[in-house]
Structure formats: C-alpha cells, structure tokens
Amino acid sequence: MLVWLARVSAVGAWAVLSVAIVWAFGLGGGTRQPLTTLDTLGRIGIGLLWLRVAALWAAKAVRMWTRRRSRRVSLSKDRTPLRSRVPMTFDAAPWVWVRLAAVLLLLPLAAALPCALQETDGGEDVRALKNAGAVLSTATVVGVTDAEAVEDSDGVLTHYDSDLELVLPDGSRITAWGADTYAEPRTDDRVQVLWAPSAPQLGPLVRTSDLSQHVDTGTTIGGMRLFLLLFFGVFFVCFVVPLSVAAEADQLHDLAWRPLAQTALPLLATALFLWIRPLLTGVGIGAPESILPAVFGGFAIPLLFLYIGLALRALLD
C-alpha cells in the first residue's frame, strides 16, 4: 500500500508540476496577476512530493520493524546482510529510463521558469495597468516640465527623468509623471506609452525599458526565456544526462526509493516555490531589478546541483 502511495503521488506530482511549469513558461508578458491557478497547482504538486517522501519513510520504517521481528523468531544461522530495498516491481530498465527521461525533459523548463514569470511582472505600476487592461500606444509630447539628466555612479548619462504632458491617439491629454527617456524630451516628440483606457486615473507610463512585453500578446517563448531554455537544456544534456546514463538502471531505481536521498527534492522544491511565489501572487515584489538574481541564478543553480548530485550518488553507489 505504501509503495503504491509513493508511486501514485510521484506520478501525480510530475503531472501537476508539468502542467504548471509548461503553462507558466508560455505566459505572455501582458498576463494579469495574481496567477491563482498556477499558485494552486504549485502547492498541490509540492504537497504530492511531500506525500511521496512520507510514504517512502513509512515504508522504510515498516521494513525495519518487519526485519527486527523476523530476526527475533528466526533460527537461521545465515548472517548475510539484508539490503534495504523496495521490491523491484517496475524495475525493468525501459521503465527506469522512461521515468528518468520524463524528469530530465522537464528540468530545463523548470530552471528557466522564473525568467518567464519575471516577464509577466514589471512592478506595482505596470501590474495595476495590466489588471486594468493596459494597451501600448504612441503619444505626442505637448509639454515638458522638470526635465532632469540622470547619471550613473561613473558620471555617465543614462536617461532623462521628466513630467510629460501627452496627447494620446484618441485626442485625450494625460500627464506621465516621472517619465524616463534616453534623449532629452522636447515638444512634438513621439514616445511609447503604456496606459489603461478604462482607468485613466492610473496615469500612463513612459520608460526606457521595452513596455511592449507587458501587453497581452498571447503565448511566447522568445527572448531571454528561450535563451535560458536552450542554455539549461545543453547543460543537462552535457552533464546530468551522461552521469545518469553511466549509472546502472537498478542503481537509479534503488536511489529513487531511498527516503533520505529523495527528501532533498521536496525540500528544495518547497524553498524555490516560496522564492518565486511572489511572481505568482504579485505580492511582496519590489522593483523588477531586485529579483533578477533569483530569476537568472538563484533558482536554477540549486536545481542543477541537486540532480548532478543524485546522478553521482547513483553512479558511485
């Protein structure tokens, strides 16, 4: 019963997390937050991972108890140590490699996932506009006030910060407070502006960054997320796959049933899920640049090292 509980929860976790990861990876930048369904799928998937580990630990406890009991009543002189192993049902090599391939195919997507989620968020102002139905338009500058050149720590001019009075395509006038432009803004300049026609009180945004990524354009895997997907895909093919293939199928199968080794997966998955959860809920996110280390490095590196470690464990066992 415990063995089947571990199997079913493992399949369920893989299925739920696969849907969540692939879905989130393909979200367009204009997707509105919170991403409640993805948050729910993530919590279900993490819960199933913990259920699997609990079943593995319970199965191990039952085996140890049964072994002690059999030793008390056994009159055998055989001192051959018993291996702590789950019966090798479904241990045929093809099944082992299918299970391994299913996980390895998902890992590059999982490693690159935070980049896709980060593209759905542009900070509190962008989030409010998107939730109100943001559109991207080209507006004409009819007034400029408080234009100020902004320099970096080396004294290099990076952009201009100013308040711009704009005429939108529908003829209405609106003021963009704290607009950022590469060049000093002047009357009759045309600028890209992100605004919500249904909520003009939110004001428009003029930024030096690409605002088009925050408009709903449907599913996309272009840009940085595609680069990261290819990068992590090559990484897994060059490092994780060879180490895993070098191990014997029975070693991989045996490792999959060791509760101590398998506990590392839900621990890491829980920590990383809590790390990226603000990108799903839209709560607790600072400026976009403040989460870049987590997006481009902090999530993927532990995941990569975990599976390299598990592959080495199976190979050296």
Side-chain angles (χ1 to χ4, degrees), residues 25-82:
F25 191 82
L27 289 176
T31 304
R32 301 180 184 185
Q33 292 165 300
L35 305 174
T36 307
T37 302
L38 291 177
D39 183 39
T40 301
L41 288 175
R43 286 187 278 117
I44 292 173
I46 298 297
L48 288 171
L49 287 178
W50 280 111
L51 179 61
R52 173 177 178 264
V53 169
L56 292 178
W57 280 109
K60 181 176 181 178
V62 170
R63 291 197 305 274
M64 293 176 65
W65 179 81
T66 304
R67 187 175 302 144
R68 290 195 191 99
R69 187 175 180 183
S70 65
R71 284 173 179 170
R72 291 193 191 103
V73 299
S74 176
L75 298 178
S76 173
K77 301 293 185 180
D78 185 8
R79 295 182 181 274
T80 303
L82 296 175

Short mmCIF file of all heavy atoms in Angstrom, two decimals, residues 25-82:
data_model
loop_
_atom_site.label_atom_id
_atom_site.label_comp_id
_atom_site.label_asym_id
_atom_site.label_seq_id
_atom_site.Cartn_x
_atom_site.Cartn_y
_atom_site.Cartn_z
N PHE A 25 5.63 28.81 -18.30
CA PHE A 25 6.72 29.15 -19.20
C PHE A 25 6.22 29.83 -20.46
O PHE A 25 6.92 30.65 -21.05
CB PHE A 25 7.51 27.89 -19.57
CG PHE A 25 8.80 28.18 -20.29
CD1 PHE A 25 9.93 28.52 -19.57
CD2 PHE A 25 8.88 28.12 -21.67
CE1 PHE A 25 11.13 28.81 -20.23
CE2 PHE A 25 10.07 28.40 -22.33
CZ PHE A 25 11.19 28.74 -21.60
N GLY A 26 5.01 29.53 -20.88
CA GLY A 26 4.48 30.11 -22.11
C GLY A 26 3.64 31.35 -21.92
O GLY A 26 3.07 31.87 -22.88
N LEU A 27 3.55 31.86 -20.69
CA LEU A 27 2.72 33.04 -20.45
C LEU A 27 3.28 34.26 -21.15
O LEU A 27 4.48 34.48 -21.18
CB LEU A 27 2.62 33.32 -18.95
CG LEU A 27 1.78 32.35 -18.12
CD1 LEU A 27 1.87 32.72 -16.65
CD2 LEU A 27 0.33 32.34 -18.58
N GLY A 28 2.39 35.08 -21.70
CA GLY A 28 2.81 36.34 -22.29
C GLY A 28 3.04 37.40 -21.23
O GLY A 28 2.56 37.30 -20.10
N GLY A 29 3.81 38.43 -21.60
CA GLY A 29 4.14 39.47 -20.63
C GLY A 29 2.94 40.26 -20.15
O GLY A 29 2.99 40.87 -19.09
N GLY A 30 1.86 40.25 -20.92
CA GLY A 30 0.68 41.01 -20.52
C GLY A 30 -0.25 40.24 -19.61
O GLY A 30 -1.35 40.73 -19.31
N THR A 31 0.13 39.05 -19.19
CA THR A 31 -0.72 38.25 -18.32
C THR A 31 -0.98 38.98 -17.01
O THR A 31 -0.07 39.53 -16.39
CB THR A 31 -0.06 36.90 -18.02
OG1 THR A 31 0.24 36.25 -19.26
CG2 THR A 31 -0.99 36.02 -17.20
N ARG A 32 -2.21 38.96 -16.58
CA ARG A 32 -2.57 39.67 -15.36
C ARG A 32 -2.28 38.82 -14.14
O ARG A 32 -2.36 37.61 -14.17
CB ARG A 32 -4.06 40.06 -15.39
CG ARG A 32 -4.43 40.95 -16.57
CD ARG A 32 -5.90 41.31 -16.56
NE ARG A 32 -6.27 42.07 -17.74
CZ ARG A 32 -7.46 42.60 -17.95
NH1 ARG A 32 -8.41 42.43 -17.04
NH2 ARG A 32 -7.72 43.29 -19.04
N GLN A 33 -1.95 39.50 -13.06
CA GLN A 33 -1.70 38.83 -11.79
C GLN A 33 -2.85 39.17 -10.84
O GLN A 33 -3.51 40.19 -11.01
CB GLN A 33 -0.36 39.28 -11.21
CG GLN A 33 0.83 38.79 -12.03
CD GLN A 33 2.11 39.51 -11.68
OE1 GLN A 33 2.17 40.72 -11.83
NE2 GLN A 33 3.10 38.78 -11.22
N PRO A 34 -3.11 38.30 -9.86
CA PRO A 34 -2.34 37.11 -9.48
C PRO A 34 -2.63 35.92 -10.38
O PRO A 34 -3.71 35.82 -10.97
CB PRO A 34 -2.81 36.85 -8.04
CG PRO A 34 -4.21 37.36 -8.02
CD PRO A 34 -4.21 38.58 -8.92
N LEU A 35 -1.67 35.01 -10.44
CA LEU A 35 -1.80 33.78 -11.22
C LEU A 35 -2.28 32.68 -10.27
O LEU A 35 -1.55 31.78 -9.89
CB LEU A 35 -0.46 33.42 -11.86
CG LEU A 35 0.16 34.52 -12.72
CD1 LEU A 35 1.55 34.12 -13.20
CD2 LEU A 35 -0.74 34.85 -13.90
N THR A 36 -3.54 32.78 -9.89
CA THR A 36 -4.09 31.94 -8.82
C THR A 36 -4.03 30.46 -9.17
O THR A 36 -3.68 29.63 -8.32
CB THR A 36 -5.54 32.35 -8.52
OG1 THR A 36 -5.58 33.76 -8.25
CG2 THR A 36 -6.08 31.59 -7.32
N THR A 37 -4.37 30.11 -10.41
CA THR A 37 -4.39 28.70 -10.79
C THR A 37 -3.00 28.09 -10.71
O THR A 37 -2.82 26.97 -10.22
CB THR A 37 -4.94 28.54 -12.21
OG1 THR A 37 -6.26 29.10 -12.27
CG2 THR A 37 -5.01 27.07 -12.60
N LEU A 38 -2.00 28.83 -11.19
CA LEU A 38 -0.63 28.31 -11.12
C LEU A 38 -0.16 28.19 -9.68
O LEU A 38 0.55 27.24 -9.33
CB LEU A 38 0.31 29.23 -11.90
CG LEU A 38 0.14 29.23 -13.42
CD1 LEU A 38 1.09 30.22 -14.05
CD2 LEU A 38 0.38 27.84 -13.99
N ASP A 39 -0.54 29.13 -8.84
CA ASP A 39 -0.19 29.05 -7.43
C ASP A 39 -0.80 27.79 -6.80
O ASP A 39 -0.14 27.07 -6.05
CB ASP A 39 -0.68 30.30 -6.71
CG ASP A 39 -0.28 30.33 -5.25
OD1 ASP A 39 0.84 29.90 -4.93
OD2 ASP A 39 -1.09 30.77 -4.42
N THR A 40 -2.05 27.52 -7.14
CA THR A 40 -2.72 26.33 -6.60
C THR A 40 -2.06 25.05 -7.11
O THR A 40 -1.82 24.12 -6.35
CB THR A 40 -4.21 26.34 -7.00
OG1 THR A 40 -4.82 27.53 -6.48
CG2 THR A 40 -4.93 25.12 -6.45
N LEU A 41 -1.76 25.00 -8.42
CA LEU A 41 -1.10 23.81 -8.97
C LEU A 41 0.26 23.60 -8.32
O LEU A 41 0.65 22.46 -8.02
CB LEU A 41 -0.92 23.96 -10.48
CG LEU A 41 -2.18 23.85 -11.33
CD1 LEU A 41 -1.87 24.15 -12.80
CD2 LEU A 41 -2.81 22.47 -11.20
N GLY A 42 1.00 24.68 -8.08
CA GLY A 42 2.29 24.55 -7.42
C GLY A 42 2.17 23.98 -6.03
O GLY A 42 2.95 23.09 -5.64
N ARG A 43 1.18 24.45 -5.26
CA ARG A 43 1.01 23.94 -3.90
C ARG A 43 0.59 22.48 -3.91
O ARG A 43 1.02 21.69 -3.05
CB ARG A 43 -0.01 24.81 -3.15
CG ARG A 43 0.58 26.16 -2.76
CD ARG A 43 -0.34 26.98 -1.88
NE ARG A 43 -1.35 27.67 -2.66
CZ ARG A 43 -2.65 27.46 -2.57
NH1 ARG A 43 -3.11 26.54 -1.74
NH2 ARG A 43 -3.50 28.14 -3.30
N ILE A 44 -0.25 22.10 -4.87
CA ILE A 44 -0.67 20.70 -4.97
C ILE A 44 0.53 19.82 -5.32
O ILE A 44 0.74 18.75 -4.73
CB ILE A 44 -1.79 20.53 -6.02
CG1 ILE A 44 -3.07 21.20 -5.53
CG2 ILE A 44 -2.05 19.05 -6.30
CD1 ILE A 44 -4.17 21.24 -6.57
N GLY A 45 1.33 20.26 -6.30
CA GLY A 45 2.49 19.48 -6.70
C GLY A 45 3.50 19.32 -5.58
O GLY A 45 4.01 18.22 -5.34
N ILE A 46 3.76 20.38 -4.83
CA ILE A 46 4.69 20.29 -3.70
C ILE A 46 4.12 19.37 -2.62
O ILE A 46 4.85 18.55 -2.03
CB ILE A 46 4.95 21.69 -3.10
CG1 ILE A 46 5.61 22.60 -4.14
CG2 ILE A 46 5.81 21.59 -1.85
CD1 ILE A 46 6.96 22.15 -4.59
N GLY A 47 2.82 19.46 -2.39
CA GLY A 47 2.19 18.58 -1.40
C GLY A 47 2.33 17.11 -1.78
O GLY A 47 2.57 16.25 -0.92
N LEU A 48 2.17 16.80 -3.08
CA LEU A 48 2.31 15.42 -3.53
C LEU A 48 3.75 14.93 -3.40
O LEU A 48 3.99 13.75 -3.10
CB LEU A 48 1.84 15.30 -4.98
CG LEU A 48 0.32 15.40 -5.19
CD1 LEU A 48 -0.02 15.48 -6.66
CD2 LEU A 48 -0.39 14.21 -4.54
N LEU A 49 4.71 15.81 -3.62
CA LEU A 49 6.12 15.43 -3.41
C LEU A 49 6.37 15.05 -1.95
O LEU A 49 7.05 14.07 -1.66
CB LEU A 49 7.05 16.57 -3.82
CG LEU A 49 7.21 16.85 -5.31
CD1 LEU A 49 8.13 18.05 -5.53
CD2 LEU A 49 7.76 15.63 -6.04
N TRP A 50 5.81 15.84 -1.04
CA TRP A 50 5.97 15.52 0.39
C TRP A 50 5.22 14.24 0.76
O TRP A 50 5.68 13.47 1.61
CB TRP A 50 5.50 16.68 1.25
CG TRP A 50 6.50 17.78 1.37
CD1 TRP A 50 6.43 19.03 0.83
CD2 TRP A 50 7.76 17.71 2.04
NE1 TRP A 50 7.56 19.76 1.12
CE2 TRP A 50 8.39 18.97 1.88
CE3 TRP A 50 8.42 16.72 2.76
CZ2 TRP A 50 9.65 19.25 2.43
CZ3 TRP A 50 9.66 17.00 3.31
CH2 TRP A 50 10.26 18.25 3.14
N LEU A 51 4.07 14.00 0.13
CA LEU A 51 3.34 12.77 0.38
C LEU A 51 4.16 11.56 -0.06
O LEU A 51 4.20 10.53 0.64
CB LEU A 51 2.00 12.79 -0.36
CG LEU A 51 1.12 11.55 -0.22
CD1 LEU A 51 0.75 11.31 1.25
CD2 LEU A 51 -0.14 11.68 -1.08
N ARG A 52 4.83 11.67 -1.20
CA ARG A 52 5.69 10.58 -1.66
C ARG A 52 6.81 10.29 -0.66
O ARG A 52 7.08 9.13 -0.33
CB ARG A 52 6.28 10.93 -3.03
CG ARG A 52 7.31 9.93 -3.52
CD ARG A 52 7.82 10.28 -4.90
NE ARG A 52 8.84 9.34 -5.33
CZ ARG A 52 10.14 9.53 -5.21
NH1 ARG A 52 10.59 10.66 -4.66
NH2 ARG A 52 11.00 8.62 -5.62
N VAL A 53 7.47 11.34 -0.19
CA VAL A 53 8.56 11.15 0.76
C VAL A 53 8.05 10.55 2.06
O VAL A 53 8.70 9.68 2.66
CB VAL A 53 9.28 12.49 1.01
CG1 VAL A 53 10.23 12.37 2.19
CG2 VAL A 53 10.06 12.90 -0.23
N ALA A 54 6.88 11.00 2.50
CA ALA A 54 6.30 10.43 3.72
C ALA A 54 6.03 8.94 3.55
O ALA A 54 6.27 8.13 4.46
CB ALA A 54 5.02 11.18 4.09
N ALA A 55 5.54 8.57 2.36
CA ALA A 55 5.28 7.15 2.09
C ALA A 55 6.59 6.36 2.05
O ALA A 55 6.64 5.21 2.53
CB ALA A 55 4.53 7.01 0.77
N LEU A 56 7.66 6.95 1.50
CA LEU A 56 8.96 6.27 1.47
C LEU A 56 9.50 6.04 2.89
O LEU A 56 10.00 4.95 3.20
CB LEU A 56 9.96 7.07 0.65
CG LEU A 56 9.72 7.17 -0.86
CD1 LEU A 56 10.78 8.05 -1.51
CD2 LEU A 56 9.70 5.79 -1.50
N TRP A 57 9.41 7.06 3.73
CA TRP A 57 9.88 6.91 5.11
C TRP A 57 9.03 5.88 5.87
O TRP A 57 9.56 5.08 6.64
CB TRP A 57 9.85 8.25 5.84
CG TRP A 57 11.02 9.13 5.52
CD1 TRP A 57 11.01 10.27 4.79
CD2 TRP A 57 12.37 8.93 5.94
NE1 TRP A 57 12.27 10.81 4.71
CE2 TRP A 57 13.13 10.01 5.41
CE3 TRP A 57 13.03 7.96 6.70
CZ2 TRP A 57 14.50 10.14 5.62
CZ3 TRP A 57 14.40 8.09 6.90
CH2 TRP A 57 15.11 9.16 6.38
N ALA A 58 7.72 5.92 5.65
CA ALA A 58 6.85 4.95 6.32
C ALA A 58 7.15 3.54 5.85
O ALA A 58 7.18 2.59 6.66
CB ALA A 58 5.38 5.31 6.05
N ALA A 59 7.40 3.37 4.55
CA ALA A 59 7.73 2.04 4.02
C ALA A 59 9.04 1.54 4.61
O ALA A 59 9.17 0.35 4.93
CB ALA A 59 7.80 2.09 2.49
N LYS A 60 10.00 2.44 4.75
CA LYS A 60 11.27 2.04 5.34
C LYS A 60 11.09 1.63 6.80
O LYS A 60 11.68 0.64 7.26
CB LYS A 60 12.28 3.19 5.25
CG LYS A 60 13.64 2.83 5.84
CD LYS A 60 14.65 3.95 5.66
CE LYS A 60 16.00 3.55 6.25
NZ LYS A 60 17.03 4.59 6.06
N ALA A 61 10.26 2.38 7.54
CA ALA A 61 10.01 2.03 8.94
C ALA A 61 9.35 0.67 9.05
O ALA A 61 9.68 -0.13 9.95
CB ALA A 61 9.14 3.11 9.59
N VAL A 62 8.42 0.38 8.17
CA VAL A 62 7.75 -0.93 8.18
C VAL A 62 8.74 -2.04 7.88
O VAL A 62 8.72 -3.10 8.52
CB VAL A 62 6.58 -0.93 7.16
CG1 VAL A 62 6.05 -2.34 6.97
CG2 VAL A 62 5.47 0.00 7.61
N ARG A 63 9.64 -1.82 6.90
CA ARG A 63 10.62 -2.84 6.57
C ARG A 63 11.56 -3.11 7.75
O ARG A 63 11.89 -4.26 8.05
CB ARG A 63 11.44 -2.41 5.34
CG ARG A 63 10.66 -2.40 4.05
CD ARG A 63 11.60 -2.37 2.85
NE ARG A 63 12.54 -1.27 2.90
CZ ARG A 63 12.28 -0.04 2.46
NH1 ARG A 63 11.09 0.23 1.96
NH2 ARG A 63 13.21 0.91 2.51
N MET A 64 11.99 -2.04 8.41
CA MET A 64 12.90 -2.20 9.55
C MET A 64 12.21 -2.93 10.70
O MET A 64 12.80 -3.81 11.34
CB MET A 64 13.39 -0.83 10.02
CG MET A 64 14.29 -0.14 9.01
SD MET A 64 14.78 1.53 9.53
CE MET A 64 15.77 1.12 10.98
N TRP A 65 10.95 -2.60 10.94
CA TRP A 65 10.20 -3.27 12.00
C TRP A 65 10.00 -4.74 11.67
O TRP A 65 10.16 -5.62 12.53
CB TRP A 65 8.85 -2.58 12.19
CG TRP A 65 8.00 -3.23 13.26
CD1 TRP A 65 8.09 -3.05 14.60
CD2 TRP A 65 6.92 -4.14 13.03
NE1 TRP A 65 7.14 -3.81 15.25
CE2 TRP A 65 6.41 -4.48 14.30
CE3 TRP A 65 6.34 -4.69 11.89
CZ2 TRP A 65 5.34 -5.36 14.45
CZ3 TRP A 65 5.28 -5.56 12.04
CH2 TRP A 65 4.79 -5.89 13.31
N THR A 66 9.66 -5.04 10.42
CA THR A 66 9.47 -6.43 9.99
C THR A 66 10.76 -7.21 10.09
O THR A 66 10.79 -8.38 10.51
CB THR A 66 8.94 -6.47 8.54
OG1 THR A 66 7.73 -5.71 8.46
CG2 THR A 66 8.68 -7.89 8.10
N ARG A 67 11.88 -6.57 9.73
CA ARG A 67 13.18 -7.24 9.78
C ARG A 67 13.56 -7.58 11.23
O ARG A 67 14.05 -8.67 11.51
CB ARG A 67 14.23 -6.34 9.14
CG ARG A 67 15.59 -7.01 8.98
CD ARG A 67 16.53 -6.10 8.23
NE ARG A 67 15.96 -5.77 6.92
CZ ARG A 67 16.09 -4.59 6.34
NH1 ARG A 67 16.73 -3.62 6.96
NH2 ARG A 67 15.57 -4.38 5.16
N ARG A 68 13.35 -6.64 12.14
CA ARG A 68 13.66 -6.91 13.55
C ARG A 68 12.81 -8.05 14.09
O ARG A 68 13.28 -8.91 14.84
CB ARG A 68 13.43 -5.64 14.39
CG ARG A 68 14.42 -4.52 14.14
CD ARG A 68 14.36 -3.49 15.23
NE ARG A 68 15.10 -2.29 14.89
CZ ARG A 68 14.55 -1.18 14.41
NH1 ARG A 68 13.23 -1.14 14.22
NH2 ARG A 68 15.29 -0.14 14.11
N ARG A 69 11.55 -8.02 13.71
CA ARG A 69 10.65 -9.07 14.21
C ARG A 69 11.06 -10.43 13.67
O ARG A 69 11.04 -11.43 14.40
CB ARG A 69 9.22 -8.75 13.78
CG ARG A 69 8.18 -9.67 14.37
CD ARG A 69 6.80 -9.21 14.00
NE ARG A 69 5.78 -10.07 14.57
CZ ARG A 69 4.48 -9.95 14.35
NH1 ARG A 69 4.05 -8.96 13.55
NH2 ARG A 69 3.63 -10.78 14.89
N SER A 70 11.45 -10.48 12.39
CA SER A 70 11.85 -11.76 11.81
C SER A 70 13.14 -12.27 12.42
O SER A 70 13.36 -13.47 12.56
CB SER A 70 11.99 -11.63 10.29
OG SER A 70 13.04 -10.75 9.97
N ARG A 71 14.04 -11.36 12.82
CA ARG A 71 15.28 -11.78 13.45
C ARG A 71 15.04 -12.39 14.83
O ARG A 71 15.78 -13.26 15.28
CB ARG A 71 16.23 -10.58 13.57
CG ARG A 71 16.90 -10.20 12.26
CD ARG A 71 17.68 -8.92 12.42
NE ARG A 71 18.36 -8.56 11.16
CZ ARG A 71 18.96 -7.41 10.95
NH1 ARG A 71 18.96 -6.48 11.90
NH2 ARG A 71 19.55 -7.16 9.80
N ARG A 72 14.01 -11.92 15.53
CA ARG A 72 13.74 -12.44 16.86
C ARG A 72 13.28 -13.89 16.82
O ARG A 72 13.58 -14.67 17.72
CB ARG A 72 12.65 -11.59 17.54
CG ARG A 72 13.10 -10.18 17.89
CD ARG A 72 12.11 -9.52 18.83
NE ARG A 72 12.38 -8.11 18.99
CZ ARG A 72 11.70 -7.14 18.41
NH1 ARG A 72 10.68 -7.46 17.62
NH2 ARG A 72 12.00 -5.88 18.60
N VAL A 73 12.54 -14.22 15.75
CA VAL A 73 11.96 -15.56 15.71
C VAL A 73 12.73 -16.51 14.80
O VAL A 73 12.48 -17.71 14.81
CB VAL A 73 10.48 -15.49 15.25
CG1 VAL A 73 9.67 -14.65 16.22
CG2 VAL A 73 10.38 -14.92 13.83
N SER A 74 13.68 -15.98 14.03
CA SER A 74 14.40 -16.83 13.09
C SER A 74 15.47 -17.65 13.80
O SER A 74 16.18 -17.17 14.67
CB SER A 74 15.05 -15.95 12.00
OG SER A 74 15.81 -16.75 11.14
N LEU A 75 15.60 -18.95 13.42
CA LEU A 75 16.63 -19.84 13.93
C LEU A 75 17.77 -20.02 12.92
O LEU A 75 18.66 -20.83 13.12
CB LEU A 75 16.02 -21.21 14.27
CG LEU A 75 14.93 -21.19 15.35
CD1 LEU A 75 14.38 -22.60 15.54
CD2 LEU A 75 15.48 -20.63 16.66
N SER A 76 17.69 -19.24 11.83
CA SER A 76 18.69 -19.38 10.78
C SER A 76 20.03 -18.84 11.24
O SER A 76 20.12 -17.88 11.99
CB SER A 76 18.23 -18.62 9.52
OG SER A 76 19.25 -18.62 8.56
N LYS A 77 21.13 -19.51 10.76
CA LYS A 77 22.49 -19.07 11.05
C LYS A 77 23.02 -18.12 9.97
O LYS A 77 24.14 -17.67 10.04
CB LYS A 77 23.42 -20.28 11.13
CG LYS A 77 23.04 -21.29 12.21
CD LYS A 77 23.21 -20.69 13.59
CE LYS A 77 22.94 -21.75 14.66
NZ LYS A 77 23.11 -21.19 16.02
N ASP A 78 22.19 -17.87 8.96
CA ASP A 78 22.63 -17.04 7.85
C ASP A 78 22.83 -15.60 8.33
O ASP A 78 21.92 -14.98 8.84
CB ASP A 78 21.59 -17.08 6.72
CG ASP A 78 22.06 -16.33 5.49
OD1 ASP A 78 23.24 -15.93 5.46
OD2 ASP A 78 21.23 -16.16 4.57
N ARG A 79 24.05 -15.10 8.18
CA ARG A 79 24.36 -13.75 8.61
C ARG A 79 24.51 -12.79 7.42
O ARG A 79 25.06 -11.71 7.57
CB ARG A 79 25.65 -13.73 9.42
CG ARG A 79 25.53 -14.50 10.73
CD ARG A 79 26.81 -14.41 11.52
NE ARG A 79 26.71 -15.15 12.76
CZ ARG A 79 26.20 -14.66 13.89
NH1 ARG A 79 25.74 -13.43 13.90
NH2 ARG A 79 26.15 -15.39 14.99
N THR A 80 24.02 -13.19 6.26
CA THR A 80 24.11 -12.31 5.09
C THR A 80 23.26 -11.07 5.31
O THR A 80 22.09 -11.18 5.63
CB THR A 80 23.60 -13.05 3.83
OG1 THR A 80 24.36 -14.24 3.67
CG2 THR A 80 23.73 -12.15 2.61
N PRO A 81 23.86 -9.87 5.20
CA PRO A 81 23.09 -8.65 5.46
C PRO A 81 21.98 -8.47 4.43
O PRO A 81 22.13 -8.78 3.25
CB PRO A 81 24.13 -7.53 5.34
CG PRO A 81 25.20 -8.10 4.47
CD PRO A 81 25.24 -9.58 4.79
N LEU A 82 20.85 -7.99 4.93
CA LEU A 82 19.72 -7.74 4.05
C LEU A 82 19.83 -6.34 3.47
O LEU A 82 20.17 -5.39 4.17
CB LEU A 82 18.40 -7.86 4.83
CG LEU A 82 18.10 -9.25 5.40
CD1 LEU A 82 16.83 -9.20 6.24
CD2 LEU A 82 17.94 -10.27 4.28
#
